[in-house]
Amino acid sequence: MITKISDAAISEFIAESEEIVERVVLSLTESPRKKSDSELIRNIYRDIHTQKGAAQLVGASRVGERAHQLEERLESLKKTTDLKIQQAHIDEILSTMDLIVFELKEFQQSRNPSRSSGAPDPIPPTPAPNRMTAGTASPAPAVPSSDEPSSSPEQAGEPSGTIRVAIPLLDRLMSLMSEMVLIRNQVLQYSHSSDDINFLNLSQRLDVITASLQNEMMKTRMQPIGSIIGKFHRVVRDLEQSLKKEIHLNLIGSETELDRSLLELIKDPLNHIVRNSCDHGIETPEERAAAGKPRKGTLTIKAFHEGGQFFIEVLDDGRGLNRDRLIEKAIEKGIIRSEQAKSMSEKEVCRLIFHPGFSTAKAVSNISGRGVGMDVVKSNIEKIGGSVDLDSVSGKYTKVSLKIPLTLAIVPALTVRAGKDRFAIPQARLIELALARTDGQGEIRLDSIQGKEVLRIRDKLLSLVRLNEIMKTSDLSDQATGHELALSGAQYVAIVNADCAAYAIVVDEILDTTDIVVKPLGRILKSLNLYSGATILGDGQAALILDTNGLANHANLAESNLNKARDPLAEAGLQTASQTSKDYLVFTTGLKGRFALPLLNVHRLEEIQDGQLEYSRNTRVLNYRGEILPIFHAHEIFGGQRPEMNGDQDLNKRLPMIVLEVSSRRIGLEVQRIEDVISIDTRLQSNVIDHPSIRGNVITGNGVIVILDEQKVIKVLNEKFIRSQELAS
Amino acid sequence: MSKALQYTTFSIGHDQYAIEVGHVQEITRSFNVTPVRLSPPYIKGLVNLRGQLSVAVDVRTLVQDKSEATPDWMSIVCRREESLVSLVVDRIGDVIEVQPEQIVPPPESIGKSKSALVTEVIKTEDRLISVLNFNHVWRELCQKL
């Protein structure tokens, strides 16, 4: 199975192993010992386990075996209550460590046969329990290295040496690096206007060296994915036992590298996918045999690079997704309607499992953080600019593919100007750049429907945002390019992609396409949810990176505008993008009537118990995945009295709750009952609106439904929350 | 004597303020600020501080001082949770040593929201200095949005 493992992976393995050996030996031999006996054993157990996994990963099977033996021994020690470590235990562990060190050397030499040629065949040291005594000053077992002095000169010169460097140091180097790139840019700019040949030469060299320095520097951020997927050996083995299944784990491309910070971020989603595959994908041996498959299921995790992106696929040869069951469940949860189901493609059905609310309704335990649904996997991956796809054939396989950008630190982006300001739009969000005519001619032109500007591009209509208007940027006094274009009847538009749909951004000028260094915004500005980060442009000035989702939300594109723009679209018989923004969740509140909120803004549906709630001053709050979620009752939107509810006093009573999310702000809305999801095709009637939080009414087969304005609801309740905090303080 | 605390003083309009030296990373002159559109009025913008981005915060707006802003302002750069905050002020004064007994609570009369940020007042022989509590400022900045 192990075909090709890079030298880099091997040397990392050796370095990690040496570190583990050193740590274990030191922890056993230091005196007095810093840790309690059981803690000590637990720590060693963990280390040895890592060692075993790593060894299996690179194919150092004999190292793995030794580690496995020791692990088993430690496991039995771990179970001993009131464990007192005896000298005999220490000796036993130490001598096994010696064997591991020996096997390590062997393995290393087998990888580099040329280097070890001529070295005498090392003799495995016989375990000598009494050689190592507690309190020995030297922590390093003086075993095989001393057996082969002849090879040492060559080995000392080996280029594979690694050292460990603190991550903050690397980060500082990185930011110094990006600053140097900026200075280089300024020097180059200056050199264009200089005649000094020496200066020109020097700036050329500075340019070349800075570029290669940047290149090498970026590599320090990269780490092989093996450090994460290697751990799945253990996960899968444990699952095999608890699920009574037989699963063979096949790792391909463990040495594929990815930015360290991204590795951290895909760890949990990946873990969830793997567990899902073992749990729901792969069948029991009996089922498999009955279906004519080998008893042992295969789970393949494959990582590779393609087109400047990182891919990781989790493929199981299990039962696949069952279309009918998915649809049944989706209808039951109110995600789709039965008549919708018939027209859904295989792909669309598969994607249902990414729908928020699909895996949740019953899962109150989600609150306590037990697990996450696939919707969370999806949103987490999308947060880092990646995407998730799922492909399955019932009875055959399920494949989940993640596509991740190689690094978050440097992304290609388009710089545009709006008024005096410059903004960056990540290339990943950009679909197309166009010059739209304003004189009503041509394939791409600005048009308007019911007073709303839209972009007509070929045979599609897109909603439109004027960046300078929405950002309220100050006008450039000499609107050179923008103005001329406007006069000549054209405008630059960037067509971008957001979760809800594609839309167009009108900008004054297109400046540049470059790789930009992305800087995080920090806590203060993050919550604006309009920018995904910031960068420093070539002239040293900071510029903000637009978050196309945030901008769409801010411009209210998600629902109102798009809906308005869509009605005539539908009349014209044109294809509209997604249906979801017309879907509403209907619920009752204990107040008269039925209410509805756009499904797009319903983050999740939860059930909570009064006993789980805590109070922040006068507001009920819930610890919701590490975030404080204020909980309101629907009557608070309208400022009225709380209606009587049955069983109010019962702390164990389960309350249905809607987690409403608008522009990443979340609140919990306690309701009486979740009724239905309806799709509203007709226009809202706005003649009876007796509260600002109401957007309008619709008439359905079952009577009138009050459609709430999710923006206002969040606003009203948030203000209430803040006010109650202030009053109390 | 050993308990003396150090404060960096600065001024906004006619008022004197101080901030604990411990919060201050450095002092910089006025610089090129990139405005952050649609942010609250007290966010002046983003600043490139030798390759790191810092959020420039207009202290004048925070403490609700109505006086005219000066064109050549200064900034006090503070670091918190890996974020840099540049407090934009009119002028920077000295670093002063203060004995604990010189520090008193602020009088009731200064505005409510102002007093949330000014938690103490330093009495010196010739003047009164409001102490800007950076912890409160930070909390305010993180909460407000």
Side-chain angles (χ1 to χ4, degrees), chain A residues 588-606:
Chain A
T588 62
T589 62
L591 295 168
K592 279 181 204 133
R594 291 189 298 158
F595 297 84
L597 278 163
L599 195 58
L600 206 70
N601 295 92
V602 174
H603 177 65
R604 286 183 98 98
L605 301 177
E606 301 280 14

Side-chain angles (χ1 to χ4, degrees), chain A residues 101-120:
Chain A
V101 171
F102 170 77
E103 296 293 357
L104 265 177
K105 291 279 174 195
E106 280 277 88
F107 173 69
Q108 203 173 1
Q109 292 197 347
S110 71
R111 291 283 305 184
N112 301 312
S114 59
R115 293 208 183 115
S116 64
S117 66

Side-chain angles (χ1 to χ4, degrees), chain A residues 302-371:
Chain A
K302 181 178 170 192
F304 57 97
H305 284 153
E306 197 177 281
Q309 291 204 292
F310 177 89
F311 287 78
I312 186 156
E313 298 174 349
V314 180
L315 170 76
D316 69 69
D317 65 347
R319 59 171 75 96
L321 292 178
N322 184 327
R323 182 190 161 103
D324 296 339
R325 263 186 50 196
L326 278 178
I327 290 177
E328 198 181 302
K329 204 170 162 193
I331 295 173
E332 180 193 314
K333 309 265 191 234
I335 294 164
I336 54 168
R337 286 164 304 139
S338 43
E339 56 268 34
Q340 254 177 315
K342 292 181 195 93
S343 60
M344 286 175 83
S345 71
E346 204 66 38
K347 197 102 192 170
E348 281 172 322
V349 174
C350 285
R351 295 193 68 86
L352 277 176
I353 69 164
F354 294 123
H355 199 288
F358 188 80
S359 58
T360 55
K362 270 181 276 171
V364 180
S365 51
N366 267 338
I367 298 173
S368 51
R370 177 185 56 87

Side-chain angles (χ1 to χ4, degrees), chain A residues 139-154:
Chain A
V143 195
S145 56
S146 55
D147 290 354
E148 40 186 339
S150 57
S151 62
S152 59
E154 259 172 315

